[in-house]
Amino acid sequence: MLWSGWGDPALAKELPEPIVKLLHDLLGVRAPSSAAVSLEWVRLPPVSLTPPTLEALHAIVGAEQVLTGDEDRVRHTRGKSTPDLLRMRAGDGSDAPDAVVRPASHDEVVAMLALCAGGSAEGAGAGQRLAVVPFGGGTSVVGGLTAARDGFDGVVALDLGRMDRLVSVDTESMIAEFEPGIRAPEAERLLAAHGLTLGHFPQSFEYATLGGFAAARSSGQASAGYGRFDDMVVGLTVATPIGTLDTGRAPKSAAGPDLRQLVLGSEGAFGVITSLRLRVRAVPEEKVYEGWRFASFAEGSAALRALAQEGPMPTVLRLSDETETMIGLAKPDAIGGGDSGCLVIAGYEGASVEERRRAAGAVLARLGGEPLGTAPGDAWAHGRFSAPYLRDSLLAAGATVETLETAGFWANLPRLYDAVRLALHGSLGSPLVMCHISHVYETGASLYFTVVTAQDADPLAQWEAAKTAVNEAIGTAGGTISHHHGVGRDHREAYAAEVGPVGVEILRAIKQRVDPEGVLNPGVLIP
Amino acid sequence: MLWSGWGDPALAKELPEPIVKLLHDLLGVRAPSSAAVSLEWVRLPPVSLTPPTLEALHAIVGAEQVLTGDEDRVRHTRGKSTPDLLRMRAGDGSDAPDAVVRPASHDEVVAMLALCAGGSAEGAGAGQRLAVVPFGGGTSVVGGLTAARDGFDGVVALDLGRMDRLVSVDTESMIAEFEPGIRAPEAERLLAAHGLTLGHFPQSFEYATLGGFAAARSSGQASAGYGRFDDMVVGLTVATPIGTLDTGRAPKSAAGPDLRQLVLGSEGAFGVITSLRLRVRAVPEEKVYEGWRFASFAEGSAALRALAQEGPMPTVLRLSDETETMIGLAKPDAIGGGDSGCLVIAGYEGASVEERRRAAGAVLARLGGEPLGTAPGDAWAHGRFSAPYLRDSLLAAGATVETLETAGFWANLPRLYDAVRLALHGSLGSPLVMCHISHVYETGASLYFTVVTAQDADPLAQWEAAKTAVNEAIGTAGGTISHHHGVGRDHREAYAAEVGPVGVEILRAIKQRVDPEGVLNPGVLIP
């Protein structure tokens, strides 16, 4: 993965002509005054770990698994939000970990946590108290990897990349057990050998890990059919500084609160997930994606709601608003048959695809949809993981591009949609704001916004102000601060407002009990 | 509700002949030496509340809503487990609350909690520290209403029966908001006026409240189609001693752990649920229930698994083992067309019932099922809430009858089934043990056991020993200690073993933070 951007540098995208034209004509984008620095120019703080600490780390994972070189540190600095990239491109490595440590087992993670909390597995502490940042694919876009340094002697990135096994497959219960550091494509490849799939395909799919999906409550593009990642988790093992938590003896239980749902979304603040038991499904026999055109976002939204509430539910279901549809159509490889309206992508995977497609199509047609055939669906499927590449090109051209998202109940969705757009326009002047619904439920849906704006002299501060305005708007309009990106550091204050004082006290009580030294991802999630 | 048994005394059941014969011939049941006492003979501890405490309670809810009469106290003593009934029939009212308090609003509940924690809404405490037992329908079968008295100046039953409104209906989001004390039939009646239903029909349906369903993570007989109660909850308001928790801004969120899932199953130990926002559905156009016969529990189980994993999923799906099927067939109104094997009930509600019935039927037939038509289905639907009445008759006749349940993953289900049966036979000699699967998931299912045994001289101790043996067996076999009854006091130790030391610490940390005086349902849930 590119250290200062997304994905494979060889796959970097040229900006399509219509976008370049839009950038100049509509948004006033100009090339930035300074180009991105190269990796060796990133300014890093000195490694603060003492020789005894390094020796203690070596004793746990082996000397070759404790990395303190510049490139390793840079590659484990922050995540992949636009502010993260802006900082890295400006050479700001101030959030770099002092070391990258790569454990190979649950026991090594347990020993690491004891050491970082100021002790060691053998009870002889190395004397330094270290913040621990669990690191999977490094794809957080909410500051989930940017631990607070204050009050710590150093920061360690706990890279779980060596814990990447498919441990077992139970085809009777349809459960696969994985270690947390396995990347999603590798997990799918190993499952495919058994004729199985998770069906979890978020935009971060190519780089993110299964442990990260669980820690951040990820939701994939096929959530309508396969469910969110939290729907797939039937069991978790978690290493905490006070011991190991093992959850999940049954699909569902009435034995108290569901502790799995406490670990899901805990973003490394309560512990390190070291094993996941996940519901799997048979690899679909067939996949068909198609497009539908609706006259307006409101009409398309009503059609999605009907499918979610009355069925049949497609496997993939998304709706772009007028602006996102227009920008999509403006691409050189233009999709769809109309020049206005809103594009719906409906995908069907599995068995009896044609039957479900026909039944869902009848609902879409009844509610005003115009069928566009499979071309728009295939175009969407082809480009489904490529948006972050485009962002890098736009950044280099002087445009800030960022995404943000929320979710709410259907009756509140128009208010939420308007509130976010108003906040962005109020803060950024005349940005380009696109939106889509990509996850639908019986009672509500997600709203996913993509914002493009010309950078001013201080693009970081410019975006921070916009983000603050949006967070407030989402809170006031009654939405949740994140449907699938998570909380991290960027949403921490908004999250506190969302869960309220009692919710905050509950989170703090858990945190203080399982992590009394507060070394786990400090500053992330917990207000 | 009968104070010493289940339901409407006018509906008490005569024992069917075949059961009476079985009781004598197979189990050696004899009539008990002493009959049940009448209500006025129940021994109650004196009311321990001081005049200032009573005055303070009066000030909050009004004097007429603070009940200290014997009958009110008896009717709020314990729940409806067989040990609960045995104790009451023996005249043991030692767990009676000192007072029954009936708040009418969230604010009154908040004030009550402050008062019981030793303070008052105005800051002038009445000086007594009181245990608070939230009381809905009083149908707990796991000791969920039997708070510990030790260390408290008294026990107050917080009867939520006056908080019984349907607050609002949002037909766009398909969400209804209820107060917690509304009983399920009344909730369904009010929803039906809008053409809506919850679709939640546990055996306790006729008496239980929606707040109780949430607090105990209830699961209904139509869970295959409508989901468990926890699937229906999109938002909760909870009064705690440190303030109000308000959760649920969207169907799903990535904003941290799902705090709704912490309240669900918390059994009044973390707070009192004062509002529920629930997903509703359209009243089904049609309902069809039918029977299928399988040669064995294993074959029937494989067929249920196929439906759960590959679809189509019926609305109701249950399978009785050989013994339960035989006992069912032995009834005077015998059901089914065979004299052996295992009975499956498959129910279909909603739209396109015939289509789904045909498709599911094809799966059942392919896997060895023999169709029995709708007669067994109708018989099941007719008697679906009547089993507890039969238990009362059996108790009076000298047979202990009790139910217990667990859940596990499919591959582990045979082991779990064997372990529970072995434990019951080991402890009780030759009891009658029946089992059914009533809730299926892609990765596993529930197991629900009904046990009938002749009472020995000390039926309470006899059952307690059996229950202890079963709890250990479930733990060793890797099941959860409850699929839908909950933890209460009866499962508290087994629950501690299930969640492990770190899980226990998490629960205690939350409890201590939100209920620092420990007044909320002490002794229940939290190990």
Side-chain angles (χ1 to χ4, degrees):
Chain A
M1 174 112 83
L2 183 62
W3 66 276
S4 61
W6 181 264
D8 181 349
L11 297 179
K13 292 251 167 159
E14 279 293 300
L15 282 188
E17 251 333 286
I19 300 285
V20 173
K21 190 163 156 43
L22 263 175
L23 292 175
H24 288 88
D25 295 357
L26 295 182
L27 303 175
V29 171
R30 288 157 210 277
S33 52
S34 54
V37 304
S38 56
L39 194 147
E40 60 270 28
W41 286 95
V42 173
R43 300 174 302 278
L44 294 170
V47 172
S48 66
L49 306 184
T50 61
T53 296
L54 286 167
E55 274 166 39
L57 290 172
H58 293 172
I60 294 170
V61 294
E64 69 285 8
Q65 303 303 343
V66 180
L67 314 173
T68 54
D70 285 0
E71 180 165 348
D72 287 314
R73 294 176 67 202
V74 167
R75 288 186 178 282
H76 290 79
T77 301
R78 308 191 191 98
K80 296 295 180 185
S81 72
T82 296
D84 288 345
L85 302 194
L86 288 170
R87 285 193 182 90
M88 291 308 278
R89 294 163 81 105
D92 173 5
S94 58
D95 289 314
D98 293 284
V100 178
V101 179
R102 308 181 72 232
S105 68
H106 173 84
D107 290 347
E108 289 186 8
V109 173
V110 169
M112 275 288 303
L113 294 183
L115 177 77
C116 294
S120 81
E122 290 74 39
Q128 286 194 304
R129 186 163 150 273
L130 308 176
V132 182
V133 183
F135 193 100
T139 62
S140 172
V141 290
V142 292
L145 303 166
T146 316
R149 298 189 87 90
D150 293 1
F152 292 92
D153 298 313
V155 177
V156 169
L158 193 75
D159 187 319
L160 295 156
R162 290 173 71 212
M163 296 178 67
D164 63 350
R165 290 184 310 136
L166 168 58
V167 178
S168 65
V169 174
D170 168 3
T171 53
E172 187 178 350
S173 309
M174 291 297 267
I175 295 172
E177 177 172 5
F178 286 99
E179 290 183 321
I182 188 166
R183 291 183 196 275
E186 177 67 2
E188 286 293 341
R189 196 183 64 74
L190 294 173
L191 285 176
H194 298 267
L196 301 173
T197 181
L198 286 168
H200 188 71
F201 302 105
Q203 198 167 68
S204 61
F205 174 77
E206 296 169 306
Y207 292 91
T209 62
L210 302 196
F213 290 152
R217 267 188 195 276
S218 172
S219 197
Q221 293 168 353
S223 67
Y226 293 95
R228 299 159 51 88
F229 199 76
D230 47 22
D231 295 324
M232 301 174 193
V233 172
V234 298
L236 293 168
T237 303
V238 187
T240 83
I242 63 163
T244 296
L245 176 67
D246 223 331
T247 67
R249 293 184 172 207
K252 294 283 181 175
S253 167
D258 190 341
L259 297 182
R260 295 174 292 206
Q261 299 289 332
L262 253 192
V263 177
L264 291 162
S266 65
E267 302 187 1
F270 295 160
V272 180
I273 296 165
T274 57
S275 160
L276 304 98
R277 277 80 71 190
L278 304 175
R279 178 255 286 157
V280 292
R281 292 202 178 148
V283 169
E285 299 161 26
E286 209 184 339
K287 298 185 185 188
V288 176
Y289 308 112
E290 63 180 8
W292 288 77
R293 181 190 170 280
F294 282 83
S296 67
F297 196 51
E299 282 184 38
S301 174
L304 265 58
R305 180 164 68 83
L307 287 175
Q309 292 177 345
E310 295 152 38
M313 192 72 138
T315 312
V316 171
L317 189 57
R318 46 194 293 131
L319 163 70
S320 295
D321 72 354
E322 289 82 352
T323 312
E324 191 173 283
T325 302
M326 182 188 74
I327 298 296
L329 290 169
K331 276 187 189 168
D333 51 341
I335 56 174
D339 55 354
S340 68
C342 292
L343 179 68
V344 163
I345 300 294
Y348 306 89
E349 302 183 5
S352 47
V353 155
E354 273 315 307
E355 193 182 315
R356 288 159 54 214
R357 186 182 172 197
R358 205 164 34 239
V363 175
L364 293 171
R366 173 168 57 83
L367 294 170
E370 173 196 338
L372 303 177
T374 54
D378 294 341
W380 169 79
H382 178 73
R384 62 199 286 190
F385 304 127
S386 62
Y389 286 102
L390 181 60
R391 176 181 62 165
D392 289 358
S393 313
L394 286 162
L395 270 184
T400 290
V401 189
E402 185 58 303
T403 61
L404 54 90
E405 33 94 69
T406 180
F409 299 114
W410 287 113
N412 197 37
L413 227 50
R415 178 180 169 216
L416 202 45
Y417 176 78
D418 289 342
V420 172
R421 288 171 52 85
L422 200 64
L424 287 168
H425 282 273
S427 182
L428 294 170
S430 297
L432 184 64
V433 181
M434 302 173 270
C435 181
H436 64 248
I437 292 174
S438 53
H439 305 267
V440 297
Y441 306 91
E442 287 179 71
T443 56
S446 67
L447 289 176
Y448 188 95
F449 295 88
T450 304
V451 190
V452 186
T453 190
Q455 290 177 7
D456 68 11
D458 187 348
L460 264 173
Q462 179 192 22
W463 179 251
E464 201 170 302
K467 182 74 177 164
T468 302
V470 169
N471 289 357
E472 283 178 18
I474 287 173
T476 305
T480 178
I481 196 61
S482 173
H483 173 267
H484 56 271
H485 283 171
V487 175
R489 283 183 81 156
D490 300 356
H491 292 152
R492 198 181 53 193
E493 310 311 325
Y495 176 54
E498 181 169 334
V499 300
V502 175
V504 168
E505 284 305 316
I506 289 171
L507 295 164
R508 286 182 180 158
I510 299 166
K511 171 75 171 174
Q512 288 160 12
R513 188 68 62 102
V514 300
D515 180 21
E517 293 293 324
V519 296
L520 277 162
N521 228 2
V524 167
L525 184 71
I526 310 296
Chain B
M1 173 112 82
L2 184 61
W3 66 275
S4 62
W6 182 264
D8 182 350
L11 298 179
K13 292 251 167 162
E14 279 294 299
L15 282 187
E17 251 334 286
I19 299 285
V20 173
K21 189 164 156 42
L22 263 175
L23 292 176
H24 287 89
D25 296 356
L26 295 182
L27 303 176
V29 171
R30 286 157 210 277
S33 53
S34 54
V37 304
S38 56
L39 194 148
E40 60 270 28
W41 287 94
V42 174
R43 299 175 302 278
L44 294 171
V47 172
S48 66
L49 306 185
T50 60
T53 296
L54 286 167
E55 273 166 41
L57 291 172
H58 294 171
I60 293 171
V61 294
E64 70 284 8
Q65 303 303 341
V66 180
L67 314 173
T68 54
D70 285 359
E71 179 165 349
D72 287 314
R73 293 177 68 201
V74 167
R75 289 187 178 280
H76 289 80
T77 301
R78 307 191 190 96
K80 296 296 179 183
S81 72
T82 296
D84 288 344
L85 302 194
L86 288 171
R87 285 193 182 91
M88 290 310 276
R89 293 162 81 105
D92 173 4
S94 58
D95 289 314
D98 294 283
V100 178
V101 179
R102 308 180 72 231
S105 67
H106 173 84
D107 289 348
E108 289 187 8
V109 173
V110 169
M112 276 288 303
L113 295 183
L115 177 76
C116 294
S120 80
E122 290 75 39
Q128 287 194 305
R129 186 164 150 271
L130 308 176
V132 182
V133 183
F135 194 99
T139 62
S140 174
V141 290
V142 292
L145 303 167
T146 317
R149 299 189 85 90
D150 293 0
F152 291 92
D153 299 312
V155 177
V156 169
L158 193 73
D159 187 319
L160 295 156
R162 290 173 70 213
M163 295 177 66
D164 63 350
R165 289 186 309 136
L166 167 58
V167 178
S168 65
V169 174
D170 167 3
T171 53
E172 186 177 351
S173 309
M174 291 298 267
I175 294 171
E177 177 172 5
F178 286 99
E179 289 184 321
I182 188 167
R183 290 182 197 276
E186 177 67 2
E188 286 292 342
R189 196 183 65 73
L190 293 175
L191 285 176
H194 299 267
L196 302 173
T197 180
L198 286 168
H200 188 71
F201 302 105
Q203 198 167 68
S204 61
F205 175 77
E206 296 169 305
Y207 293 92
T209 61
L210 302 196
F213 290 152
R217 268 189 193 279
S218 172
S219 198
Q221 294 168 353
S223 68
Y226 292 95
R228 299 158 52 84
F229 198 76
D230 48 22
D231 294 324
M232 301 173 195
V233 171
V234 298
L236 293 167
T237 302
V238 187
T240 84
I242 63 163
T244 297
L245 176 67
D246 222 330
T247 67
R249 293 186 174 207
K252 295 282 181 177
S253 168
D258 191 342
L259 297 181
R260 294 173 294 206
Q261 299 289 332
L262 254 192
V263 177
L264 291 162
S266 65
E267 301 186 2
F270 294 160
V272 179
I273 297 166
T274 57
S275 159
L276 304 96
R277 275 80 70 191
L278 303 174
R279 178 257 283 157
V280 291
R281 292 201 178 147
V283 169
E285 297 161 25
E286 209 184 339
K287 298 184 186 189
V288 176
Y289 308 112
E290 64 180 7
W292 288 77
R293 182 191 170 279
F294 282 84
S296 68
F297 195 52
E299 282 186 40
S301 174
L304 265 55
R305 182 164 67 82
L307 287 176
Q309 291 177 345
E310 294 152 39
M313 192 73 139
T315 312
V316 171
L317 189 58
R318 46 193 295 132
L319 162 71
S320 295
D321 72 355
E322 288 83 352
T323 312
E324 189 172 286
T325 301
M326 183 188 73
I327 298 295
L329 289 170
K331 277 188 188 167
D333 52 342
I335 55 173
D339 57 352
S340 67
C342 292
L343 179 67
V344 163
I345 299 294
Y348 306 88
E349 302 183 5
S352 47
V353 156
E354 272 315 307
E355 192 183 316
R356 288 159 54 214
R357 185 182 172 197
R358 205 165 34 240
V363 175
L364 293 170
R366 172 167 60 82
L367 294 170
E370 172 196 338
L372 303 176
T374 52
D378 293 341
W380 169 79
H382 177 72
R384 63 197 288 190
F385 304 127
S386 63
Y389 285 102
L390 181 60
R391 175 181 63 164
D392 289 357
S393 311
L394 286 161
L395 270 183
T400 289
V401 190
E402 184 57 304
T403 62
L404 53 89
E405 33 95 65
T406 179
F409 299 114
W410 288 112
N412 197 37
L413 227 51
R415 178 179 169 219
L416 202 46
Y417 177 77
D418 290 343
V420 172
R421 287 170 52 86
L422 201 65
L424 286 168
H425 283 272
S427 181
L428 294 170
S430 297
L432 182 66
V433 180
M434 303 173 269
C435 181
H436 63 248
I437 292 175
S438 53
H439 304 268
V440 296
Y441 306 91
E442 288 180 72
T443 56
S446 67
L447 289 175
Y448 188 97
F449 296 88
T450 304
V451 190
V452 185
T453 191
Q455 290 178 8
D456 68 12
D458 187 348
L460 263 173
Q462 180 192 22
W463 179 251
E464 200 170 305
K467 181 74 179 165
T468 301
V470 169
N471 289 356
E472 283 178 19
I474 288 174
T476 305
T480 179
I481 196 59
S482 172
H483 173 267
H484 57 271
H485 282 172
V487 175
R489 282 183 83 155
D490 300 356
H491 292 153
R492 199 182 52 193
E493 310 312 324
Y495 176 54
E498 180 169 334
V499 300
V502 175
V504 168
E505 285 305 317
I506 289 171
L507 295 165
R508 287 182 180 157
I510 299 167
K511 171 75 171 173
Q512 289 161 10
R513 189 68 61 101
V514 300
D515 180 22
E517 294 293 324
V519 296
L520 276 163
N521 228 2
V524 167
L525 184 71
I526 310 296

